[in-house]
C-alpha cells in the first residue's frame, strides 16, 4: 500500500482512480461504457472493430492486449477483477456490486428469455469500460516519442468483435498461446490473454461447486481432450468451418425475415414464430463450436474464456444492426420459464424490469431493457452503424447493404460450374451432398436462390443432466461420435447451451419448457443440384431425397451418444419456402409462405410434421 501510494503521488490521475476504486466498495459501480473520444456535438462515437482489422491497428491492439493482461491480473477479491466480472455470467453465483439473487441458475445471465440481447449489452459495456480504464494507465507510461500516439489510441479504444458468420475460424490472435506486442518497454512476446484465462485460485477458492465437472480447471480450455489433457484449438476451427454455411444462412435470414423482437431475441418458443431462427440459437452454436468440451460450451463458466467478449461484442453488433432495420419492435412482457440467479422461474420480463446486477448510477438504480435500447449511451458504435451522419432510413439502407455484402455477397465466380466438374456425380449421398465449404456455399449464392430449406428443432430446455447437441447429416452419420461435429456430410449442428451439471443446479427437478432453433440446409441441396444429383430445389425433387437421406444423432460435448428418445420434448420438422431473390444491393429477398413437409420426418426419431409445442406454451 505504501509503495502504491508513493508511486501514485507522481500520477495524480492514477491516485484519483485508486480512490474511486476504494469508494466503489461503498457505492455502486456505475456502468457508462467507455466514453473517451465521443464527440458530444455530433454524436460520433469510436467504433468496435472486427478482430482481423483490429489486430492490425498497432497501438490500439497493443493497448487492448496489455489492458486485458492487467485486468486479468487484478486480484480476484476485487469486484472489478476479470474474475468477478466474468463470474457475473455464471459461477461463482454470488452477489456482485451489492446485488444478489436466489435463483438456481448459475449466474445473472438471462438465456431462453427475451432480455437475452439486452442483458448482454451493459455486460459487454462494463468489460469495455474496465479495459479502457486500464489502457489509459498503460498509454501514459510509453516513451515520450510514442506517448501521444498511444494516448490517442487509448482514448478511442473499444473492444473488438469477431464476425464468425464471415470468418468461421478462431482468429489467430485468439488461438495462439503467445503474442507479440509493442509494450512501453519495446516489442515483447507475452502470454496471450485472449488464448486462455488462468484462474488465480483452485475450485474451492473460486467458490465453484465442486460437483461441476468444469470447476477444477486451472485455466480456460477449448475442445479439451482427456487423452492429451490439453485444449485443441484446431478442433474449434474445424467445428466452426463445418457449421459455417448454416450459420451464415441463419444470420442472413435473421436480418431478412425476422421482424418481431420477441421472435428475434431468444430460443423461447413464443407461440407463433416457430419457423424463425433467432440470435440466441445462432449464438449457442458458436459457444458450442468454440468450446467443445471446454468453458465456452457451458454457461456457468463461459464468461471466463476471453473469446467470450469478442463473441458477445458480435452478438451485440448483430442486435444493433437488426435494431436499425426494425426500430419499432422491442421487448414486450414475457414469462421467463427458466429463471436466472436473479430472476425466479415465472418472472415476467419487460422493458422496465431490471438487468441485474448492472447499475446505471452510483446509487441503487439498475439498468432496464428500455434504458439500453440504444447503444449510444455506452459510447461506441460499429462500422455498419454511423448513426450520427444518417437519418433512420439511410441507416437502415446502409445496414441492408452491409448485410447483403457480408452474408449474401454477389459473386461473378465460375466456381459453381468447376465444382460441378471436379466432383463427379457419385452414387453416394454423402459425396453428392457433402463437402460444402463456406466458399462453395457463397459461390452457389445459397442465400439468394429461389427456394430455402430448413430444419426446425424444438426440445425441452433441460432434458438431460448435461448440455447436448444434435448433428444433422445427409446420408449416414460416421461410426465414431468424435467424427460427427466435422463430418464431411454434416449439414449443421443444433447446440443447446446448458450447464455441465444440471442435476446439481436443479436438484428438485428441472424447470419445464421448450426452446427452439433452426438449421439451414439450402447449401447442402444447392450443392447437390450443382453436381447433378438432384434436378432442382423444388419439393418434388427434394422431398423423396430427404425422406431417405436426412438423419440426425445427438451427443454430449464430452462425445457420448445420447439416445434421441432421451431428449424429452424433441420435435424435428422440415420446411421450405419460395424466395424472390434480391435484385439491388440494399434490398432483401422476399419470402413466400412456409410449407411443412411432414413426409420427410415421418417415422424418424422424434420427427414431427410440424413443430410440436407442448406444455405451457
Ligand atoms: C466534433 O465534430 C465536429 C464536426 O466534425 C468537429 O468540428 C469537432 O472538432 C469535433 N469535436 C471533437 C471534440 O472532436
Ligand atoms: C477439485 O479441487 C478441490 C480442491 O480445490 C478438491 O477438493 C476436489 O476433490 C476436486 N474435485 C474434482 C472433481 O477433482
Ligand atoms: C485436434 O483436432 C483436429 C480437428 O478435429 C484433429 O484433426 C486433431 O487430430 C486433433 N488433435 C489432437 C492432438 O487430438
Ligand atoms: C410481436 O409479437 C408480440 C407477441 O405476440 C405482439 O404482441 C406484437 O404486436 C408483435 N410486434 C410486432 C411489431 O409485430
Ligand atoms: C463482378 O463483375 C463486375 C463487372 O466486371 C465488377 O464490377 C464487380 O466488382 C464484380 N463483382 C465481384 C463480387 O467480383
Ligand atoms: C452433478 O452433481 C451431483 C451433485 O449435485 C453429483 O452427484 C454428480 O456426480 C454430478 N455429476 C457430474 C457429471 O459431475
Amino acid at each position: 500500500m505504501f509503495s502504491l501510494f508513493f508511486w501514485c503521488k507522481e500520477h495524480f490521475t492514477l491516485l484519483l482512480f485508486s480512490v474511486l476504486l476504494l469508494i466503489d466498495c461503498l457505492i455502486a459501480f456505475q456502468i457508462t461504457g467507455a466514453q473517451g473520444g465521443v464527440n458530444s456535438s455530433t454524436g460520433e462515437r469510436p467504433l468496435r472493430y472486427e478482430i482481423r482489422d483490429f489486430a492490425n491497428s498497432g497501438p490500439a491492439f497493443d493497448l487492448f492486449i496489455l489492458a486485458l493482461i492487467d485486468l486479468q491480473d487484478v486480484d480476484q477479491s476485487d469486484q472489478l477483477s476479470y474474475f468477478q466480472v466474468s463470474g457475473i455470467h455464471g459461477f461463482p453465483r454470488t452477489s456482485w456490486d451489492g446485488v444478489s439473487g436466489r435463483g438456481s441458475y448459475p449466474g445473472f445471465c438471462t438465456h431462453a428469455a427475451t432480455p437475452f440481447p439486452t442483458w448482454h449489452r451493459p455486460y459487454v459495456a462494463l468489460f469495455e469500460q474496465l479495459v479502457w480504464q486500464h489502457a489509459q494507465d498503460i498509454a501514459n507510461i510509453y516513451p515520450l516519442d510514442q506517448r501521444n500516439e498511444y494516448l490517442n489510441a487509448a482514448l478511442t479504444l473499444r473492444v473488438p468483435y469477431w464476425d464468425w458468420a464471415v470468418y468461421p475460424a478462431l482468429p489467430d490472435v485468439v488461438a495462439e498461446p503467445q503474442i507479440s506486442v509493442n509494450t512501453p518497454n519495446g516489442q515483447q512476446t507475452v502470454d496471450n490473454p485472449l488464448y486462455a484465462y488462468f484462474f488465480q485460485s483452485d475450485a474451492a477458492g473460486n467458490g465453484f461447486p465442486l460437483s461441476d465437472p468444469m470447476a477444477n480447471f486451472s485455466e480456460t480450455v477449448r475442445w479439451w481432450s482427456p487423452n492429451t489433457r490439453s485444449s485443441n484449438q484446431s478442433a474449434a476451427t474445424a467445428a466452426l468451418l463445418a457449421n459455417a454455411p448454416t450459420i451464415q444462412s441463419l444470420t442472413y435470414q435473421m436480418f431478412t425475415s425476422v421482424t418481431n423482437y420477441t421472435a428475434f431475441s431468444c430460443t423461447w418458443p413464443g407461440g407463433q414464430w416457430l419457423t424463425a431462427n433467432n440470435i440466441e440459437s445462432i449464438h449457442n452454436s458458436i459457444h458450442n463450436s468454440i468450446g467443445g468440451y471446454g468453458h465456452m460450451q457451458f454457461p456457468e463458466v463461459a464468461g471466463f474464456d476471453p473469446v467470450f467478449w469478442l463473441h458477445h461484442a458480435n452478438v451485440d453488433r448483430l442486435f444493433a444492426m437488426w435494431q436499425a432495420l426494425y426500430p419499432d419492435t422491442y421487448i414486450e412482457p414475457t414469462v421467463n420459464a427458466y429463471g436466472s440467479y436473479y430472476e425466479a422461474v415465472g418472472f415476467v420480463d419487460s422493458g422496465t424490469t431490471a438487468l441485474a446486477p448492472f447499475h446505471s448510477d452510483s446509487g441503487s438504480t439498475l439498468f432496464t431493457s428500455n434504458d439500453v435500447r440504444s447503444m449510444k449511451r455506452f459510447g461506441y458504435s460499429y462500422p455498419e452503424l454511423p448513426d450520427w451522419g444518417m437519418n433512420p432510413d439511410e441507416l437502415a439502407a446502409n445496414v441492408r447493404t452491409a448485410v447483403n455484402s457480408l452474408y449474401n455477397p454477389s459473386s461473378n465466380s465460375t466456381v459453381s460450374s468447376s465444382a460441378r466438374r471436379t466432383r463427379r456425380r457419385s452414387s453416394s449421398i454423402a459425396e453428392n451432398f457433402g463437402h460444402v465449404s463456406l466458399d462453395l456455399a457463397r459461390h452457389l449464392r445459397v442465400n439468394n436462390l429461389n427456394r430455402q430449406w430448413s430444419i426446425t428443432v424444438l426440445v425441452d430446455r433441460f432434458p438431460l443432466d448435461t448440455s447436448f447437441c444434435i448433428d444433422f447429416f445427409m446420408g449416414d452419420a460416421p461410426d465414431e461420435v468424435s467424427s460427427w461435429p466435422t463430418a464431411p456430410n454434416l449439414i449443421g449442428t443444433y447446440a443447446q447451451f446448458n450447464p455441465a451439471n444440471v442435476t446439481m443446479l436443479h436438484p428438485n427437478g428441472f424447470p419445464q419448457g421448450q426452446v427452439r432453433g433452426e438449421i439451414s440446409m439450402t447449401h447442402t441441396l444447392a450443392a447437390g443440384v450443382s453436381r447433378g444429383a438432384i434436378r432442382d430445389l423444388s419439393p418434388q425433387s427434394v422431398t423423396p431425397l430427404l425422406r431417405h437421406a436426412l438423419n440426425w444423432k445427438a451427443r454430449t460435448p464430452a462425445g457420448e451418444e445420447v439416445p434421441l428418445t432421451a431428449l424429452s420434448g424433441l420435435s424435428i420438422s422440415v420446411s421450405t419456402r419460395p424466395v424472390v431473390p434480391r435484385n439491388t444491393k440494399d434490398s432483401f429477398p422476399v419470402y413466400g409462405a412456409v410449407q411443412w413437409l411432414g413426409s420427410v420426418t415421418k417415422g424418424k426419431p422424434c420427427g414431427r410434421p410440424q413443430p410440436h409445442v407442448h406444455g405451457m406454451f
Side-chain angles (χ1 to χ4, degrees), residues 15 23 49 93 101 108 123 179 182 189 265 278 304 314-315 375 378 443 472 492 500 520 523 533 565 594:
L15 174 61
I23 293 173
Y49 290 104
R93 195 160 50 165
F108 285 98
Y123 191 34
I179 193 160
N182 182 37
T189 299
S265 60
N278 58 81
F304 294 104
N314 192 47
V315 169
M375 62 180 166
F378 295 115
H443 286 303
F472 291 87
S520 177
H523 61 286
T565 48
V594 169

Side-chain angles (χ1 to χ4, degrees), residues 223 225 227-228 230-239 482 486:
W223 289 84
S225 150
N227 301 327
T228 61
S230 63
S231 286
N232 183 347
Q233 310 283 326
S234 32
T237 287
S482 62
T486 55

Side-chain angles (χ1 to χ4, degrees), residues 52-69:
R52 278 162 184 75
D53 298 329
F54 186 69
N56 293 317
S57 65
F61 184 68
D62 296 336
L63 288 167
F64 175 68
I65 292 293
L66 297 173
L68 189 52
I69 290 173

Side-chain angles (χ1 to χ4, degrees), residues 243-400:
N243 260 302
T246 271
I247 292 293
Q248 191 167 97
S249 289
L250 293 179
T251 303
Y252 187 64
Q253 291 169 48
M254 182 187 78
F255 282 115
T256 56
S257 62
V258 183
T259 60
N260 183 306
Y261 177 91
T262 307
F264 161 83
S265 60
C266 68
T267 57
W268 181 74
Q272 71 221 42
W273 305 288
L274 295 174
T275 62
N277 65 80
N278 58 81
I279 183 83
E280 188 187 19
S281 174
I282 298 171
H283 136 282
N284 287 354
S285 280
I286 302 300
H287 270 282
N288 170 254
S289 295
I290 299 171
Y293 191 76
H295 290 71
M296 277 292 273
Q297 169 66 61
F298 304 107
E300 72 275 29
V301 288
F304 294 104
D305 186 329
V307 79
F308 174 94
W309 301 103
L310 277 61
H311 174 37
H312 269 282
N314 192 47
V315 169
D316 184 70
R317 164 178 162 270
L318 298 175
F319 174 34
M321 289 165 71
W322 188 88
Q323 287 184 288
L325 296 175
Y326 308 105
D328 300 330
T329 170
Y330 200 53
I331 192 166
E332 301 177 47
T334 39
V335 173
N336 189 329
Y338 311 101
S340 68
Y341 166 59
Y342 184 76
E343 292 185 7
V345 170
F347 186 91
V348 177
D349 291 309
S350 75
T352 56
T353 52
L355 302 175
F358 307 126
H359 286 105
S360 59
D361 61 17
S362 51
S364 58
T365 316
L366 295 171
F367 277 105
T368 65
S369 290
N370 284 345
D371 293 336
V372 304
R373 185 163 184 168
S374 167
M375 62 180 166
K376 285 178 191 166
R377 107 175 260 164
F378 295 115
Y380 66 88
S381 190
Y382 297 100
E384 295 84 1
L385 293 165
D387 53 36
W388 50 88
M390 291 182 177
N391 69 38
D393 289 343
E394 292 166 342
L395 192 67
N398 195 60
V399 169
R400 280 193 301 273

Side-chain angles (χ1 to χ4, degrees), residues 433-463:
F433 295 91
H435 299 278
V436 188
S437 66
L438 183 59
D439 273 351
L440 178 57
R442 291 172 78 112
H443 286 303
L444 295 173
R445 305 222 49 205
V446 297
N447 292 329
N448 216 40
L449 301 175
N450 61 12
R451 189 162 275 281
Q452 274 183 345
W453 286 85
S454 309
I455 302 162
T456 297
V457 177
L458 266 166
V459 63
D460 281 0
R461 173 83 189 282
F462 298 116

Side-chain angles (χ1 to χ4, degrees), residues 209-214 293 465-466 500-507:
L210 299 182
S211 49
D212 192 283
M214 299 310 291
Y293 191 76
D465 57 5
T466 191
N501 189 338
V502 182
T503 313
M504 177 197 64
L505 295 164
H506 301 292

Side-chain angles (χ1 to χ4, degrees), residues 31-34 48 64 71 85 88-89 116-132 158-161 307-317 358 378 380 382:
I31 298 176
T32 59
R48 292 180 179 172
F64 175 68
L71 182 60
V85 169
I88 292 170
H89 196 263
F116 165 74
T118 58
W119 186 87
H120 288 84
R121 175 163 285 170
Y123 191 34
V124 178
L126 164 62
F127 173 73
E128 184 164 69
Q129 186 174 344
L130 298 177
V131 165
W132 187 91
R158 297 297 184 268
V159 298
Y161 66 88
V307 79
F308 174 94
W309 301 103
L310 277 61
H311 174 37
H312 269 282
N314 192 47
V315 169
D316 184 70
R317 164 178 162 270
F358 307 126
F378 295 115
Y380 66 88
Y382 297 100

